[in-house]
Amino acid sequence: MKGPGRRRRLWWWLLALAAVLAVVAFAIMWRPAIAPITAAPRFEPGLVEKGARVAALGTCAACHTVDPSRPFAGGFGLDTPFGTVYSTNITPDPRTGIGNWSEEAFTRAMREGVSRDGHLLYPAFPYNHYARMTGDDVRALYAYFMTRPPLDAPARTNEMTFPFGFRPLVGFWNLLYLDDAPFASDPKQSAEWNRGAYVADAMAHCSACHTPRTRLGGPDNQRFFDGGEAEDWYVPALNARSPSPLPWSREHLAAYLRTGIAPGHAAAGGPMQSVAENLRHAEPADIDALATYIHSFLAQAPERATPATRPGSLPVPKADDPDLARMRLGHEVYANACARCHDAGRAESSGTALPLQQAVALYDPDPRSLIHLVRDGIAPPDGEPARWMPGFGAILSDEQTIALAAYLRRYGAGQADWPDLAEQVRKGKP
């Protein structure tokens, strides 16, 4: 009789444990709704102006704006390993935006990733960074968004893979990765460096893209600024692992952050292009501080002997090249599609471009950014003057794209072949 009795007690213990775990899980995942407000709050103009500067540093428009004529109406699709998350409307429309959100509800979303109605927000919204913003900055941001023109824009349905569409699971992600400790200055560093660290971490969330992710999608802070990815682009490292063929000066980095272009470096493309478009509206002193902070990591990169120090026309393939047929095809594509602008060297005229020996995409450990640039080019915001590069996705075949990228890697950067180049080209075909 001892056997059945023990089994019954074991089952009771298992049921009790399951009940306890259910209570713990409920406590982790559940958040109450916050009552909606019924009257629009009023704000001092100075607070709204400060909020505009905070929004620029936080690059809020980069993810919450798809149509420039409808700023902050959401709808931008962010591809993640767990599915596609669409940004939401953060204008003060009471039905589809945040018009009935109190400052308390807005602050909770910024610090804890919880919507006004209590549902958990996906960490594609970088609340794990915004959690470290000061109360004054969060308040100013709330004032700014609540004074934007209200736009009717219902949220798009996220397209998550199973089981990540079950939002309560985010509660466990928060246990692992949400650190809401206030930003702490480093007394060993200058005031400008500390301001830059605050801007980079709490506002601009630079490490969200420039730091690798764990398998659960959290930041791998043991590899801080070691390089990551965003929207299928490789995002370069900002430390000793930086693939940049030429060293960054602090002044050039500040210019790049403000304008998306700097001497001796490639123009901003892909996700970084929209970041630069936002940062140009920030206070110059904040951009200088951000450059000071990031440059302190980039300065760790060793000097490298690369073709970037002697730019010029790229050579024809060597006759004894073991991959001669592909290299000849790549050179032919380069001569017909690239050389007219890139061999001229960058100058003030619009018909010139960066010598490709200095293009960081050729030195990346991953070919995806170069593939995107070849296919999609770089287009400035509508109606605004800026550097422009045509895309060749509708012209070049996969074979030509592979050959061009392989040729540029070998004869432009002098680097070893990308082992997965062909696979990446075919996988990324639209």
Side-chain angles (χ1 to χ4, degrees), residues 7-27:
R7 284 194 293 270
R8 282 195 295 271
R9 286 194 296 272
L10 178 60
W11 277 110
W12 279 112
W13 278 111
L14 290 174
L15 287 172
L17 178 61
V20 170
L21 291 175
V23 171
V24 171
F26 181 78

Side-chain angles (χ1 to χ4, degrees), residues 156-354:
R156 292 188 60 177
T157 302
N158 297 317
E159 300 167 2
M160 309 299 289
T161 56
F162 181 82
F164 303 109
F166 184 59
R167 282 185 186 267
L169 290 176
V170 177
F172 293 97
W173 189 94
N174 290 339
L175 282 179
L176 294 172
Y177 300 112
L178 178 56
D179 177 8
D180 59 359
F183 173 80
S185 296
D186 184 345
K188 298 179 182 178
Q189 300 289 350
S190 68
E192 184 178 53
W193 187 95
N194 276 299
R195 175 61 181 174
Y198 173 74
V199 170
D201 183 34
M203 292 182 174
H205 53 280
C206 303
S207 65
C209 293
H210 287 277
T211 294
R213 296 271 174 175
T214 68
R215 291 185 178 182
L216 295 177
D220 184 355
N221 289 323
Q222 298 299 314
R223 301 169 62 197
F224 187 71
F225 276 173
D226 267 3
E229 60 179 84
E231 300 170 42
D232 196 47
W233 288 66
Y234 173 75
V235 182
L238 296 179
N239 54 24
R241 295 178 180 270
S242 168
S244 179
L246 291 177
W248 282 93
S249 71
R250 177 196 168 280
E251 292 71 26
H252 286 170
L253 182 57
Y256 179 81
L257 292 170
R258 286 192 188 97
T259 66
I261 194 167
H265 296 280
M272 190 61 201
Q273 186 179 9
S274 60
V275 172
E277 290 167 9
N278 279 265
L279 291 181
R280 66 181 178 173
H281 299 293
E283 287 289 304
D286 282 332
I287 299 303
D288 288 341
L290 183 59
T292 295
Y293 172 72
I294 294 176
H295 185 257
S296 69
F297 292 90
L298 280 171
Q300 302 169 15
E303 291 280 350
R304 297 183 178 92
T306 69
T309 58
R310 49 184 188 280
S313 299
L314 298 191
V316 297
K318 299 176 181 178
D320 60 350
D321 192 302
D323 195 11
L324 185 59
R326 177 172 288 179
M327 292 299 120
R328 281 179 171 170
L329 175 60
H331 179 264
E332 179 184 342
V333 175
Y334 166 79
N336 291 328
C338 313
R340 181 177 179 181
C341 294
H342 287 284
D343 277 5
R346 182 185 283 162
E348 294 298 322
S349 71
S350 60
T352 62
L354 183 77

Side-chain angles (χ1 to χ4, degrees), residues 100-124:
N100 61 6
W101 286 40
S102 64
E103 183 179 330
E104 178 190 3
F106 182 83
T107 301
R108 184 175 70 168
M110 293 290 290
R111 298 200 184 285
E112 301 178 36
V114 182
S115 183
R116 186 198 65 78
D117 64 5
H119 77 260
L120 301 182
L121 302 173
Y122 288 114

Side-chain angles (χ1 to χ4, degrees), residues 42-120:
R42 296 179 179 274
F43 307 98
E44 293 293 329
L47 187 64
V48 175
E49 292 170 5
K50 178 180 179 179
R53 296 191 293 271
V54 174
L57 289 170
T59 64
C60 304
C63 288
H64 286 277
T65 300
V66 174
D67 180 353
S69 69
R70 293 169 57 80
F72 304 115
F76 177 80
L78 185 64
D79 292 330
T80 77
F82 313 102
T84 302
V85 180
Y86 291 96
S87 63
T88 55
N89 180 358
I90 53 173
T91 74
D93 179 71
R95 188 180 71 86
T96 65
I98 62 170
N100 61 6
W101 286 40
S102 64
E103 183 179 330
E104 178 190 3
F106 182 83
T107 301
R108 184 175 70 168
M110 293 290 290
R111 298 200 184 285
E112 301 178 36
V114 182
S115 183
R116 186 198 65 78
D117 64 5
H119 77 260
L120 301 182

